[in-house]
């Protein structure tokens, strides 16, 4: 295994260039001082906004302050991620975080003030000042929460309860990340070693079924032992969601969660029901996997084993970038031109190095360009990670270039569409250009398992969340047994033919997303949307290319369902979901044929 490089050993053209945000720390400190001045100015409008002119003055100051803070925070975060061991950048990031807390406190009065206004008063303010047209959409967007806001006294009480009500999530995080210890497994030298999460993932992808079985039982052992404790934290989280929804006058916790994106509950229900109506392809894939692995029965610890043995493909970064470009040619000259330029323009931090943050992401402040962090290791997975993150980068770049600050940020609901479109176009390009049957099988297996994890598993989680919240609203007790009954039933529905070990019913106890309710369905709608868009593009539909680029340029200027509808994706209907499921079936058929 190669030792990670020192950052100084990496060529300049494979490192991002943060001087595009600030030429140095002196410029950062200058903007920090400006932010403090703007913060005091924004705070001074408390109890003084009594006209359109005053409202406009506050909003302009607040927007400038938000823009400046984003720039300060992103820069310090990116510097820190270059080498997390450097105390100077740790201090810089802490300083930025502290500023963020102060800013939030300084302008916390504005939302309650806005929602205390009568609509006629807000209309009058907007009529008085033409400059408020720029902020009009956001003001009315915020104003739609007015029916769900309580009296000032009650809002203050709820605000004070905020920290208390976050306890279930905090407690689970401490259990899951700090305190939990997994059982022992047999190491490579035959000695017993304590299992870690990283080790568990590697073992599940290995060919030794005895070790996979041992690791599965060791991994679940602490969750089973803590089932009642974790059930109480999850039940408390669900009860808080139900209580707050009732207090604020929402029909359900689900409706409250979807309210911000203007997504009707029928979209959520359609996703679940359409998937459950088309589970035959999953059954087919599980049968194929069982035969391919030569097993009489397939268990959960057999689901991650690659179906192509001894396959390795090394691809240097330069070749990977060129391969990605070739796969994305259907997106047109404008897209390709920016993507080509990004490679040598200080956007991407390519190599793993000592102290560098692990993983991959895309981030950047409005007014510069996106920055992409990679830890490229010359594997096929790294190629797909590159394509994924550059999808995010292109979405942000095109949005920032075509939208003002106020509407440039797109919502989480559509955030994974661009990244997944890139992945789908790339994998279809690779499938269409390789004659190597082993590579083809690997790619098909990769694509199938991506859909399985990003779509089927997330829909199952989404239905679990819906059921347990409905049980709570109906006054039913949420115990470990109650959670397990729901989870096991759903797992058997969404994974037909998989034989379940007793521990599996406690799968709910290890999912952090359940403490951020009704979030995971967005992964499923995202991949369904992306597959539909990519399929039309690959069919040569120029109209879809144009509407998709327009979507990328639209940022957050409209609600997400409307933006997607313009690309031909209507999530109010079953079609995008059924199209994804048909593709899944087709991919399984191709894998069987090989």
């Amino acid at each position: 295994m190669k030792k990670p490089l020192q950052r100084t050993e990496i060529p300049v053209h494979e490192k991002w260039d943060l001087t595009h945000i600030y030429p140095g720390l002196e410029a950062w400190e200058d903007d920090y001082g400006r932010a403090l001045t703007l913060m005091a100015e924004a705070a001074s409008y408390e109890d003084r906004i009594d006209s359109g002119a005053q409202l406009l003055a506050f909003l302009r100051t607040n927007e400038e302050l938000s823009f400046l803070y984003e720039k300060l925070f992103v820069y310090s975060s990116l510097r820190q991620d270059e080498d997390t061991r450097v105390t100077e950048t740790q201090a810089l990031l802490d300083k930025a975080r502290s500023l963020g807390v102060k800013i939030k406190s300084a302008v916390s009065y504005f939302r309650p003030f806005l929602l205390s206004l009568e609509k006629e008063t807000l209309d009058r303010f907007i009529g008085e000042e033409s400059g408020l047209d720029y902020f009009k959409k956001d003001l009315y967007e915020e104003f739609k929460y007015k029916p769900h806001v309580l009296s000032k006294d009650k809002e203050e009480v709820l605000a004070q309860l905020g920290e208390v009500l976050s306890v279930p999530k905090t407690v689970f995080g401490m259990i899951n990340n700090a305190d939990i210890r997994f059982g022992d497994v047999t190491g490579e030298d035959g000695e017993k070693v304590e299992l870690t999460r990283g080790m568990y993932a590697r073992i599940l992808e290995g060919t030794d079924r005895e070790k996979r079985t041992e690791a599965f039982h060791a991994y679940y052992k602490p969750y089973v032992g803590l089932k009642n404790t974790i059930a109480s934290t999850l039940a408390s989280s669900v009860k808080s969601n139900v209580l707050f929804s009732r207090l604020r006058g929402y029909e359900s916790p689900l409706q409250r969660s979807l309210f911000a994106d203007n997504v009707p509950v029928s979209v959520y229900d359609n996703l679940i029901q359409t998937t459950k109506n088309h589970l035959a392809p999953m059954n087919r894939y599980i049968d194929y996997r069982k035969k391919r692995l030569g097993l009489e029965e397939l268990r959960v610890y057999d689901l991650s084993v690659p179906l192509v043995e001894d396959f390795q493909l090394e691809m240097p970064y330069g070749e990977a970038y060129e391969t990605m470009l070739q796969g994305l040619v259907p997106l047109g000259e404008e897209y390709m031109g920016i993507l080509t330029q990004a490679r040598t323009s200080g956007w991407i931090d390519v190599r793993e190095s000592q102290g560098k943050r692990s993983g991959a992401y895309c981030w950047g402040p409005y007014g510069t360009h996106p920055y992409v962090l990679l830890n490229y290791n010359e594997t096929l997975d790294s190629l797909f990670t590159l394509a994924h993150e550059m999808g995010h980068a292109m979405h942000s770049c095109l949005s920032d270039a075509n939208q003002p600050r106020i509407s440039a940020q797109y919502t989480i609901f559509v955030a994974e569409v661009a990244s997944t479109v890139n992945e789908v176009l790339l994998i279809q390009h690779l499938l269409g250009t390789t004659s190597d049957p082993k590579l083809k099988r690997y790619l098909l297996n990769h694509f199938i398992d991506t859909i399985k994890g990003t779509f089927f598993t997330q829909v199952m989680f989404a239905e679990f969340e819906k059921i347990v919240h409905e049980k709570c609203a109906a006054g039913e007790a949420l115990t470990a047994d109650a959670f397990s009954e729901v989870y096991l039933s759903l797992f058997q529905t969404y994974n037909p033919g998989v034989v379940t070990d007793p521990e599996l019913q406690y799968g709910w106890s290890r999912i952090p997303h359940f403490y951020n309710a009704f979030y995971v369905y967005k992964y499923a709608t995202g991949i369904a949307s992306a597959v539909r868009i990519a399929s039309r593009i690959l069919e040569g539909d120029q109209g879809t290319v144009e509407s998709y680029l327009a979507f990328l340029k639209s940022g957050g200027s409209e609600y997400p369902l409307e933006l997607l509808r313009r690309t031909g994706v209507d999530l109010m209907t079953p079609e995008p979901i059924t199209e994804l499921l048909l593709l899944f079936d087709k991919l399984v058929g191709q894998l069987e044929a090989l």
Side-chain angles (χ1 to χ4, degrees):
M1 190 173 182
K2 288 182 184 177
K3 184 180 178 183
L5 300 167
Q6 294 294 333
R7 189 161 183 83
T8 52
E9 298 177 285
I10 299 171
V12 172
H13 67 273
E14 291 190 347
K15 293 190 282 192
W16 57 28
D17 188 348
L18 300 186
T19 63
H20 299 168
I21 308 177
Y22 287 113
L25 286 181
E26 187 177 342
W28 190 95
E29 291 290 355
D30 288 345
D31 267 2
Y32 183 87
R34 278 185 61 216
L36 291 175
T37 302
L38 285 168
M39 182 176 70
E41 186 180 336
S44 73
Y45 286 97
E46 185 171 7
D47 299 325
R48 290 202 301 122
I49 303 175
D50 54 11
S51 67
Q54 288 288 84
L55 178 59
L56 178 60
F58 166 78
L59 290 172
R60 282 177 170 167
T61 302
N62 189 54
E63 186 191 41
E64 187 63 29
L65 175 60
S66 299
F67 170 66
L68 205 55
Y69 174 67
E70 178 192 42
K71 200 174 170 189
L72 290 164
F73 184 71
V74 171
Y75 177 83
S76 57
S77 296
L78 298 179
R79 281 285 306 274
Q80 168 71 2
D81 288 349
E82 290 177 348
D83 190 341
T84 57
R85 303 168 300 175
V86 179
T87 55
E88 290 83 0
T89 55
Q90 290 171 12
L92 196 71
L93 182 56
D94 286 344
K95 191 173 179 178
R97 284 183 176 137
S98 177
L99 176 65
V101 172
K102 292 174 185 174
I103 291 171
K104 188 175 181 180
S105 175
V107 298
S108 62
Y109 67 86
F110 180 71
R111 189 169 191 257
F113 159 76
L114 179 65
L115 296 178
S116 72
L117 297 176
E118 296 299 324
K119 185 173 182 300
E120 294 74 18
T121 305
L122 181 59
D123 292 340
R124 176 168 60 80
F125 284 174
I126 291 172
E128 290 173 2
E129 281 289 341
S130 59
L132 285 171
D133 286 344
Y134 173 79
F135 298 99
K136 184 177 178 180
K137 181 177 177 291
D138 272 22
L139 286 169
Y140 283 126
E141 173 67 20
E142 192 69 33
F143 211 70
K144 79 177 186 180
Y145 288 91
K146 188 175 175 66
H148 302 290
V149 173
L150 308 179
S151 68
K152 184 178 180 182
D153 291 346
K154 290 178 180 176
E155 285 293 338
E156 286 178 359
V157 171
L158 292 184
Q160 291 171 24
L161 285 173
E163 190 173 350
V164 175
L165 293 169
S166 68
V167 166
K169 182 176 183 178
T170 303
V171 170
F172 176 76
M174 293 303 293
I175 292 171
N176 204 39
N177 298 315
D179 295 340
I180 207 162
R181 291 291 179 269
F182 302 109
D184 290 342
V185 294
T186 307
E188 291 181 5
D189 57 0
E191 297 291 322
K192 289 290 184 180
V193 294
E194 185 180 342
L195 184 68
T196 65
R197 281 195 175 87
M199 193 190 306
Y200 181 61
R202 290 194 299 274
I203 292 172
L204 287 193
E205 292 176 357
T207 56
D208 189 329
R209 197 177 194 225
E210 281 189 19
K211 285 191 174 181
R212 296 201 305 269
T213 306
E214 181 187 37
F216 171 81
H217 293 302
Y219 182 76
Y220 270 83
K221 184 178 180 180
Y223 290 109
V224 176
L226 292 165
K227 62 184 179 183
N228 294 312
T229 302
I230 298 176
S232 69
T233 63
L234 183 54
S236 297
S237 181
V238 172
K239 287 173 184 176
S240 295
N241 296 334
V242 171
L243 175 63
F244 265 62
S245 299
R246 284 175 177 163
L247 288 173
R248 294 197 176 281
Y250 292 97
E251 294 174 10
S252 66
L254 176 56
Q255 194 237 348
R256 179 185 172 213
S257 176
L258 304 180
F259 187 76
D261 285 329
N262 206 36
V263 173
V265 172
S266 59
V267 168
Y268 199 95
D269 291 339
N270 168 60
L271 171 68
I272 292 170
Q273 196 54 54
T274 304
T275 304
K276 289 174 79 173
N277 290 344
H278 297 82
L279 286 172
M282 177 57 73
N283 197 25
R284 182 182 181 188
Y285 174 55
I286 286 171
D287 282 346
Y288 171 76
R289 175 171 273 278
K290 183 165 64 174
K291 291 173 189 172
R292 181 75 185 169
L293 294 175
L295 299 172
E296 291 185 11
E297 57 183 28
L298 198 72
R299 293 181 179 263
V300 69
Y301 40 82
D302 301 318
L303 296 176
S304 300
V305 184
L307 298 178
V308 185
E309 294 178 12
D310 303 322
F311 177 82
Q312 288 187 337
L313 182 104
E314 289 192 0
M315 186 177 288
Y317 175 70
E319 184 183 340
Y321 209 97
E322 286 301 320
T323 301
M324 176 185 69
L325 289 174
Q326 292 165 16
L328 302 181
V329 164
L331 292 173
E333 291 182 8
E334 179 186 10
Y335 193 97
M336 296 300 294
I338 299 169
L339 201 55
T340 302
Q341 183 184 2
R343 180 179 174 183
T344 55
S345 299
W347 288 31
I348 310 168
D349 210 73
V350 179
R351 301 288 170 192
E352 182 181 10
S353 58
Q354 292 279 350
K356 182 178 174 180
R357 174 174 165 165
S358 61
Y361 65 73
C362 172
W363 197 18
Y366 184 92
T368 53
H369 57 71
Y371 285 86
V372 172
L373 180 137
L374 300 173
N375 283 276
Y376 191 83
N377 62 7
E378 303 196 342
T379 64
L380 207 56
D381 282 345
S382 275
L383 167 64
F384 286 113
T385 299
L386 169 66
H388 183 99
E389 297 305 334
M390 293 313 294
H392 287 309
M394 289 300 298
H395 196 174
S396 296
C397 175
L398 291 170
S399 174
D400 287 1
N402 291 277
Q403 294 294 323
R405 287 193 297 219
I406 199 166
S407 57
Q409 183 58 54
Y410 46 84
T411 68
I412 292 174
F413 190 97
V414 298
E416 294 301 327
V417 173
S419 53
T420 311
V421 165
N422 271 17
E423 284 196 75
V424 174
L425 292 176
L426 175 59
I427 202 164
Q428 295 287 29
H429 165 74
L430 293 171
L431 283 168
T433 54
T434 183
S435 56
D436 181 348
K438 217 168 193 180
L439 174 57
K440 231 169 199 175
R441 283 202 305 274
Y442 181 91
L443 291 167
L444 287 167
N445 190 187
H446 174 91
F447 201 179
I448 288 166
D449 284 345
T450 296
I451 296 174
K452 185 181 184 300
T454 310
F455 184 82
F456 287 100
T457 299
Q458 305 309 322
V459 175
M460 181 185 83
F461 287 168
E463 187 170 8
F464 175 85
E465 290 182 306
K466 185 171 187 286
I467 291 172
V468 297
H469 279 81
E470 287 172 348
K471 283 181 175 293
C472 181
E476 296 184 35
L478 294 180
T479 62
D481 288 345
F483 285 131
S484 296
E485 183 182 350
V486 175
Y487 189 88
L488 182 60
S489 173
L490 290 174
F491 184 89
Q492 290 170 335
T493 297
Y494 285 87
N495 297 272
V498 176
V499 177
T500 55
D501 291 81
E503 295 97 324
L504 189 69
Q505 64 185 304
Y506 302 107
W508 54 269
S509 66
R510 61 182 186 85
I511 310 298
H513 276 107
F514 289 161
Y515 296 83
N516 186 13
F518 306 114
Y519 173 85
V520 295
Y521 86 99
K522 296 174 185 178
Y523 291 117
T525 55
I527 192 171
S529 302
V531 162
R532 186 172 176 88
I533 291 166
S535 297
R536 297 293 181 278
I537 291 171
L538 290 170
E539 289 168 3
D541 184 344
Q542 192 57 36
T544 297
V545 175
E546 292 168 4
S547 65
Y548 175 60
L549 292 176
F551 161 79
L552 297 180
K553 294 173 183 178
S554 296
S557 58
E558 297 289 346
Y559 286 122
L561 288 183
E562 178 56 34
L563 290 175
L564 285 170
R565 197 174 285 120
R566 294 177 191 174
T567 69
V569 177
D570 188 355
L571 290 168
M572 298 283 286
T573 70
E575 277 74 19
I577 313 303
T578 54
E579 189 166 325
L580 174 72
L581 297 169
L582 287 170
L583 172 64
F584 186 85
D585 194 40
K586 180 181 176 183
L587 294 171
V588 174
Q590 290 175 346
L591 192 57
E592 288 174 333
L594 284 170

